[in-house]
Amino acid sequence: MKYTDRQVHVPLCSVSTTSSLVNKTGTWKSAQPLFIDRVSPCNQQCPAGEDITGYMYLVGQGRYEEAWRLIMEENPFPAIMGRVCFHTCEERCNRTEHDDAVSIHMVERFIGDYGLANSLRITVPGPERKERVAIVGAGPAGLTAAYHLRKMGNGVSIFDSNQKPGGMMRYGIPSYRLPKEVLDGEISRLDEMGVEFKIAVKVGKDVTWDSLDNEFEAVFMGIGAWEETSLGIEGLNKKGIYNALEFLEDINLGKEPKIGKRIAVIGGGNSAIDCARVSRRLGAEATIVYRRSEAEMPAHTEEIEMAREEGVRFLFLASPKAIYGEETVAGVKLEKMALGEMDDSGRRRPVPTGETFDIDCDGMITAIGEATRVGDLPPFTSHRGGVVEADRMGQTTHLRFFAGGDIIDIPHTVTHAIGSGKRAAVAIDRFLRGIENDKDSPDQFTWGESGTINLAWLKGTSLFCRRNPSLEVVDYTDMNPFYFDCLPGVKTKRIPVDERLKGFQEVSEPFSEEEVISEARRCFNCGSCTECGNCCIFCPENSIKRDPDGYGYVADMDFCKGCGICVNECPRGAMTMKLME
Amino acid sequence: MYSLNQRFNNQDIPEDEFMASGNSACAGCAASLSMGLALKGLGKPTVLVIPACCFTIIPGAWPLTALDVPVFQAAFETTGSTLSGIKAAYRKRGMDDVCVVGWAGDGGTFDIGIQALSATAERNDDVVYVCYDNEAYMNTGIQRSGGTPMGAWTTTTPVKDPKSEPKKDIDEIMIAHRIPYLATATAAYPHDMIAKFKKARSIKGTRFIHLLSACPTGWRVPENLSIEVMRLAVLSNIFPLFEVENAEIFRQTVIPDEVIPVERYLRLQGRFRHLTDEAVKEYQKMVDDRFERLRKRFEITE
C-alpha cells in the first residue's frame, strides 16, 4: 500500500481529494506586487549615463566582456573614465550608509583595461545613411558624439586642430593620472569603427564654418575651453610665468618647460593641483595659493590629498597683487583675504582685507580657470561670454549646429563632456531622421537633473535584463539591509611618494581580479533584480515562480493575496506594490 | 541564481513544493509559509496530525487540500496521543520510515494539548511535534493563551487590562522531558529552519520544534511586515534561535550581529501599542534575564 493513496472508495471519515488550486485566492487582494527596475543613485547621477549596477552584476559573475559591452553602450572610454572621472557615483552609493561605498571607478578601470588587453572591438555596419555629420573638436565630447553617431549608422568626420586627437584628455591631463597608451588605445577603436579623422585641420581657418554648414547635414561643436583666464595683474609677461594650459600642454608634449625651483601656483581647481603635482615631479617646490579656504576649493578632495602626500604646500586666503622681479619672477606680493557672504556658487566669497605680505618664488603658474576662445566659435552661434546657448540636448539656435563639452553650461569634466556628447548624438540622430523632440521625447529616459540619457533604456536593449524600467530612484530606505553583510571595501593603493616624484608613472595601482570581483559583489545592485530568490522563498502563497521565459520571477495573480512580504523582503528595492483599481 | 553579495545563499533552499497555492490563510500569514518551509526540510513520506487551530482551515475546507501529504485532523487536546497512535499503526504495518508530524498552535500545545504532549514525550515516542506559536487563539478570534506574552492585547485581555502574566516557557517544559531534540525556528530564517527540520527527521524519539509564527491579524502588524517582525524577535533575543540535544547540548544557531532593543519589536505591533516606556524597560529586563539563563547553557562554538 502506498501512503499517498487517497483513492479510498468507502471512506471511514471525510477525506479531502481536491487540490486547493481551485480556490483562486488572488481575488482577495487590493494591491499587487510588481517587479520593476528602479534607477540606482549612482546611475542617476552618472553624468555619462552608465548602467553601473548592471555592469557590477556582470563583473561579480566574472562576465567581463559583457560588462565591457554594457559600458560601451553608453561610454566609449571605460579605461579613461575609470582613471580620470571624479566618481561622484561613489558619494551617492547607498552602501555608504551600510559600510563603505563600492569602489566603482576601480572596477570600471579594470573592465576598461580588460577591453584594451583583449582588444575587444565594437563592430558597426558601414554608413547606412547618406547624411554626414561633422564633429569639430576631438576631445571627450566630440569623440563620444562621433562614436554614438557612428553606432547609430551615420557617417562621421571629425576635425581637430591639434596633431593628435584627445583634446584636454591628451593635452590637459598629466600622464600620472592618464597614461598616454590608455588614451591612444581607447581612441584607436573609433578609427576602426570608420570614423574619419581630419587631424591638424583648424575649422575657421583651414576650413570655414560655412563650408561645414553646406557640406554636412549636421555639425557638432566640441571645441573646448582653451583660453586661460587672465589674473589681471601686471608683470605677467615675465620669464618663469606660465598659464596652466600652456604648462600642461608642454608637459604632455614631452617638452621641459623652464620653470624655477620654487613655484607658486595660483588657483584652487584641479588644473592648479595638476600644475603643482607636475612641478613636484620636475623637482621644484610647489605652493598653491588660493584666495578662499580649503573647503571652497573646487579641486577634488582625493587630488588635494595626493598633492599633500607629494609635498605640495597650500596657502589659503591669499590673492596675488603684484609680481616682483625685473625679467624673471622674484616673488609675489599677496593680499590677505577673508571669507564673506555666500556667492552664486554656494561658496563663501573672498573679501580683500588690505593687508599684504610677500612670498619668495622663482616661477609662477596661473590656473584660475579656462574659457572658450570666442574667436574660434562660428559667427552665427549665439553665446554669452563664450558659453554657447544650447537646449538640454545640445541643439543651438542655429538648428543644424549642436554643442557639447566645455563650451556649454555644464561642469568642465571629462565625464560631463562624454554625457553631453552622447546627448547631442541622440539629438542629432533624431534631427536627421526628422523626429520631433516634443513627441516621444528622450526626456522620459533621462536620469536625474543633469539629464543623463541611458541609451540602453532608451532603446530597450540592455545586455542586463531591465524589465519594467521606472525612473524612480532607490535610496537606502527602499532596501532591506538585513540581507547584506557589512564588508569593508577594498582601498585604492597608491605607489610610494618617492616613486611618484621620480617621473610620470601612474599613481594609483590597479585592483587585482579578486579585488575587483569582491568589490563588484559588494554592490547592492540597487533597484535591479539579481534573481536572489527572496520573493519566491518568502511568498506564503507559493505564487511567485521563476519566469519560464527568461530572467527574473513572475507572480501568479490567481493566488497572490497581495500581502506585500515579497516587496518588503526584496533586498534591493526591485519590487513595488501597486494599488488595484 | 546570483546571490553572492547576500547574507544567505538561497540556492540551498530545496525546490520541492509540498504545499500548493490556494490556501485559505489570511494575507501575510507566517504559518502557511512555515508549513511550506517545514515540508521542504522534512520531505516525504510524512504524515501530518493537525488539531483544532488555524491550520485546520488553512489547507482548505473539505474537499480541498493544499497539502501534498496525508493529514489527520485530530481533536484539540489529542495531538500527542494521535501522533503516538498513528506512528504505532505505521510501524505495525512495516512503514516505519513514515515521519509522523504534529502541527499544533500555541493554544493546542501550551494549554489544551499539554497533557497528551507530555505523555508522548515521556514515552519518547518516535514523532515530531511542531508548535507554530502565534501567541493567542487566533483562529477563534485572538483570545489569550498560555503562549501570549506579557503586556499583549488580545480580545480577552483588553488594553485597560492587558495580560499580566509572562509567556509560559514551553521550551523549558520540553527540555525537562529530556527529549532527544528540541529546536526553536522561524520562517524569517528559512535556512536555519529547514536545517532543523532536516535534522529532526534524522533523529529517533520525540522531537519538538517551536516555531514563532507572526499573525498580522492578531498582532496588529501590516501584512507585509510579518517576516520583519519575526526577524526583530530573533535580533532582540525575544525569540532566540537554538537547538537542544538530549537536554544536554545547547547550541545557539543564529547569533545576531548586533542585539537590538526589544522596543523595536514591540513598537512595530499594535498589540503592544499601549505599553508605557516603563513597561518596555521591564520587558527588556525580562527578555535579558531569560536570555542570560539560556546563554549560560549555550555551548561555546567557534
Side-chain angles (χ1 to χ4, degrees):
Chain A
M1 175 174 169
K2 282 192 292 186
Y3 71 92
T4 49
D5 193 357
R6 292 212 191 94
Q7 302 302 310
V8 183
H9 294 291
V10 188
L12 297 170
C13 56
S14 56
V15 172
S16 289
T17 49
T18 313
S19 165
S20 62
L21 288 172
V22 297
N23 188 14
K24 303 284 190 237
T25 50
T27 53
W28 301 6
K29 65 178 168 292
S30 56
Q32 65 177 61
L34 214 60
F35 292 92
I36 57 165
D37 244 302
R38 288 194 174 114
V39 180
S40 61
C42 55
N43 283 0
Q44 189 228 7
Q45 73 68 49
C46 178
E50 290 185 6
D51 185 354
I52 297 167
T53 48
Y55 70 73
M56 288 291 170
Y57 171 85
L58 296 169
V59 173
Q61 295 179 321
R63 292 155 70 183
Y64 305 134
E65 182 168 346
E66 285 166 83
W68 185 82
R69 293 197 184 279
L70 186 65
I71 301 178
M72 291 298 281
E73 288 276 302
E74 314 301 330
N75 172 1
F77 307 124
I80 296 174
M81 194 73 112
R83 289 175 166 86
V84 303
C85 179
F86 289 124
H87 44 80
T88 42
C89 46
E90 295 177 21
E91 286 161 27
R92 292 281 311 274
C93 181
N94 277 335
R95 190 113 203 171
T96 47
E97 296 191 38
H98 199 67
D99 38 38
D100 296 329
V102 176
S103 190
I104 298 168
H105 71 292
M106 290 308 277
V107 177
E108 184 178 17
R109 173 172 160 182
F110 176 88
I111 291 304
D113 288 349
Y114 178 88
L116 288 175
N118 293 282
S119 309
L120 299 181
R121 292 286 172 259
I122 298 287
T123 46
V124 277
E128 293 163 5
R129 294 137 48 81
K130 62 181 192 314
E131 289 96 340
R132 291 189 61 82
V133 184
I135 309 277
V136 183
L143 292 171
T144 307
Y147 169 82
H148 285 296
L149 284 164
R150 187 67 202 83
K151 274 185 80 185
M152 291 167 187
N154 301 290
V156 182
S157 297
I158 185 158
F159 297 82
D160 196 281
S161 61
N162 284 315
Q163 296 303 313
K164 281 182 168 181
M168 281 291 181
M169 297 192 290
R170 183 179 300 278
Y171 299 106
I173 299 177
S175 50
Y176 62 83
R177 273 172 58 198
L178 176 60
K180 294 287 174 278
E181 53 282 10
V182 173
L183 183 67
D184 291 336
E186 298 240 284
I187 293 177
S188 71
R189 275 198 295 262
L190 267 78
D191 230 347
E192 289 159 30
M193 286 169 66
V195 172
E196 189 190 2
F197 278 89
K198 297 195 171 174
I199 291 306
V201 177
K202 189 167 170 74
V203 177
K205 203 174 112 199
D206 304 327
V207 190
T208 62
W209 287 103
D210 281 322
S211 69
L212 289 189
D213 199 3
N214 295 331
E215 249 177 81
F216 292 90
E217 309 301 316
V219 178
F220 174 81
M221 303 181 290
I223 61 172
W226 289 83
E227 188 157 279
E228 189 65 47
T229 311
S230 172
L231 204 50
I233 56 170
E234 291 200 359
L236 286 171
N237 51 2
K238 288 187 178 66
K239 263 191 209 161
I241 300 186
Y242 274 88
N243 74 47
L245 288 174
E246 281 169 8
F247 179 72
L248 293 172
E249 190 171 336
D250 278 0
I251 291 293
N252 283 308
L253 288 171
K255 295 184 200 163
E256 288 254 324
K258 289 188 190 65
I259 54 160
K261 285 283 150 207
R262 294 183 312 282
I263 315 294
V265 181
I266 316 296
N270 289 310
S271 313
I273 301 277
D274 284 342
C275 292
R277 293 179 66 190
V278 168
S279 303
R280 292 290 296 136
R281 282 164 174 75
L282 298 176
E285 284 175 17
T287 306
I288 286 182
V289 178
Y290 182 49
R291 56 193 184 133
R292 309 193 210 211
S293 72
E294 185 167 354
E296 285 82 27
M297 276 180 92
H300 197 260
T301 33
E302 268 182 38
E303 289 286 310
I304 299 173
E305 189 186 304
M306 285 191 276
R308 275 223 169 85
E309 286 170 3
E310 289 163 16
V312 173
R313 286 193 292 260
F314 289 82
L315 191 56
F316 295 112
L317 295 167
S319 175
K321 282 275 123 188
I323 299 162
Y324 297 118
E326 292 298 311
E327 287 208 337
T328 49
V329 187
V332 187
K333 181 181 179 182
L334 299 170
E335 182 175 6
K336 269 196 187 166
M337 308 297 267
L339 290 177
E341 301 281 294
M342 293 279 184
D343 66 5
D344 297 341
S345 66
R347 296 175 302 162
R348 292 181 67 189
R349 200 189 300 273
V351 186
T353 59
E355 203 181 319
T356 60
F357 64 103
D358 297 340
I359 57 162
D360 186 24
C361 65
D362 55 6
M364 186 170 116
I365 302 169
T366 61
I368 57 169
E370 306 85 35
T372 310
R373 282 190 193 125
V374 174
D376 288 351
L377 289 170
F380 38 76
T381 41
S382 82
H383 64 86
R384 246 178 304 182
V387 179
V388 173
E389 275 179 44
D391 69 4
R392 220 172 130 85
M393 299 296 286
Q395 195 167 27
T396 67
T397 45
H398 190 76
L399 293 181
R400 281 205 283 160
F401 275 61
F402 296 77
D406 291 354
I407 67 167
I408 60 169
D409 189 15
I410 53 169
H412 291 189
T413 73
V414 175
T415 324
H416 282 89
I418 288 175
S420 73
K422 182 163 73 173
R423 271 200 301 280
V426 172
I428 292 171
D429 189 63
R430 293 168 82 88
F431 174 75
L432 295 178
R433 288 171 203 268
I435 305 168
E436 281 194 32
N437 264 348
D438 299 347
K439 281 182 252 154
D440 185 28
S441 155
D443 276 6
Q444 57 185 298
F445 301 97
T446 58
W447 288 344
E449 288 161 9
S450 58
T452 311
I453 293 177
N454 182 281
L455 284 173
W457 280 39
L458 184 67
K459 292 184 290 185
T461 55
S462 178
L463 287 166
F464 178 49
C465 182
R466 296 279 185 202
R467 300 182 312 172
N468 253 329
S470 142
L471 291 178
E472 248 177 85
V473 177
V474 194
D475 65 20
Y476 190 61
T477 53
D478 296 322
M479 328 266 302
N480 195 330
F482 169 75
Y483 292 103
F484 301 104
D485 276 327
C486 282
L487 296 165
V490 182
K491 294 277 173 286
T492 310
K493 287 181 284 294
R494 299 173 186 151
I495 61 171
V497 172
D498 50 341
E499 285 291 310
R500 289 189 220 170
L501 295 182
K502 280 181 197 157
F504 284 79
Q505 209 188 325
E506 195 169 9
V507 170
S508 54
E509 291 181 48
F511 276 7
S512 68
E513 189 173 343
E514 293 73 43
E515 286 170 328
V516 163
I517 290 203
S518 102
E519 274 307 282
R521 286 182 183 172
R522 283 178 70 241
C523 176
F524 285 158
N525 306 102
C526 306
S528 42
C529 176
T530 63
E531 297 192 308
C532 75
N534 267 14
C535 51
C536 175
I537 287 164
F538 287 113
C539 177
E541 312 313 323
N542 204 0
S543 69
I544 296 182
K545 293 278 184 301
R546 266 183 160 267
D547 189 344
D549 303 326
Y551 192 87
Y553 301 88
V554 279
D556 188 345
M557 287 305 147
D558 278 354
F559 298 106
C560 170
K561 291 173 190 162
C563 67
I565 287 179
C566 48
V567 177
N568 195 60
E569 297 312 308
C570 176
R572 32 187 75 74
M575 293 186 79
T576 189
M577 284 310 274
K578 191 178 131 218
L579 277 177
M580 293 167 72
E581 281 157 24
Chain B
M1 191 186 283
Y2 173 71
S3 57
L4 293 158
N5 61 348
Q6 257 174 259
R7 198 181 277 263
F8 307 113
N9 187 357
N10 289 336
Q11 272 176 303
D12 301 343
I13 306 271
E15 287 194 8
D16 317 321
E17 298 290 355
F18 301 111
M19 184 151 165
S21 304
N23 68 62
S24 40
C26 308
C29 175
S32 58
L33 172 60
S34 300
M35 176 63 95
L37 294 172
L39 290 176
K40 277 175 193 276
L42 288 167
K44 281 182 175 177
T46 291
V47 170
L48 287 171
V49 174
I50 300 180
C53 61
C54 288
F55 239 96
T56 320
I57 190 63
I58 289 174
W62 187 87
L64 304 184
T65 181
L67 292 163
D68 196 17
V69 292
V71 179
F72 190 91
Q73 299 277 4
F76 218 150
E77 65 278 33
T78 63
T79 316
S81 40
T82 311
L83 284 171
S84 302
I86 290 182
K87 183 68 196 182
Y90 274 118
R91 186 178 297 124
K92 195 77 186 160
R93 294 169 75 178
M95 296 162 77
D96 206 13
D97 60 328
V98 176
C99 187
V100 183
V101 180
W103 187 272
D106 51 299
T109 305
F110 289 59
D111 304 342
I112 299 175
I114 194 162
Q115 175 276 130
L117 168 62
S118 176
T120 305
E122 184 261 324
R123 292 188 300 269
N124 197 20
D125 282 331
D126 187 21
V127 298
V128 178
Y129 190 106
V130 182
C131 169
Y132 70 101
D133 179 5
N134 48 31
E135 304 194 321
Y137 289 87
M138 296 306 181
N139 192 33
T140 47
I142 324 171
Q143 289 87 5
R144 166 209 194 280
S145 80
T148 305
M150 189 172 80
W153 160 91
T154 64
T155 51
T156 47
T157 51
V159 168
K160 61 180 174 195
D161 188 17
K163 193 184 176 202
S164 50
E165 306 80 16
K167 182 184 174 109
K168 188 190 278 188
D169 200 337
I170 193 80
D171 302 328
E172 294 296 346
I173 294 173
M174 295 316 293
I175 290 166
H177 284 74
R178 305 193 73 78
I179 52 175
Y181 187 68
L182 173 140
T184 61
T186 165
Y189 289 82
H191 299 76
D192 174 71
M193 177 165 165
I194 289 173
K196 282 170 176 166
F197 274 94
K198 275 191 178 152
K199 187 165 183 179
R201 183 161 191 137
S202 71
I203 291 172
K204 284 255 170 224
T206 303
R207 293 140 282 171
F208 183 82
I209 295 182
H210 182 188
L211 299 179
L212 183 70
S213 174
C215 171
T217 315
W219 292 14
R220 297 294 192 248
V221 284
E223 292 99 333
N224 63 335
L225 296 184
S226 58
I227 300 292
E228 178 92 33
V229 75
M230 293 193 291
R231 181 159 57 233
L232 294 181
V234 174
L235 295 177
S236 61
N237 279 341
I238 283 183
F239 194 82
L241 297 180
F242 61 92
E243 57 185 14
V244 182
E245 286 169 30
N246 299 313
E248 273 160 16
I249 303 164
F250 284 66
R251 197 178 296 119
Q252 190 176 14
T253 54
V254 171
I255 301 169
D257 292 341
E258 189 191 346
V259 176
I260 61 160
V262 295
E263 185 159 9
R264 271 184 64 193
Y265 169 77
L266 299 175
R267 292 291 181 222
L268 198 61
Q269 303 173 51
R271 62 175 175 156
F272 292 115
R273 189 177 295 142
H274 53 273
L275 290 190
T276 59
D277 290 347
E278 199 60 21
V280 170
K281 257 185 214 150
E282 258 176 62
Y283 206 105
Q284 178 76 57
K285 190 174 178 323
M286 185 175 77
V287 169
D288 289 347
D289 289 351
R290 171 168 182 260
F291 184 71
E292 190 52 31
R293 284 200 300 278
L294 267 171
R295 199 187 58 78
K296 282 182 189 147
R297 288 184 284 173
F298 287 148
E299 149 187 285
I300 313 293
T301 45
E302 290 168 275

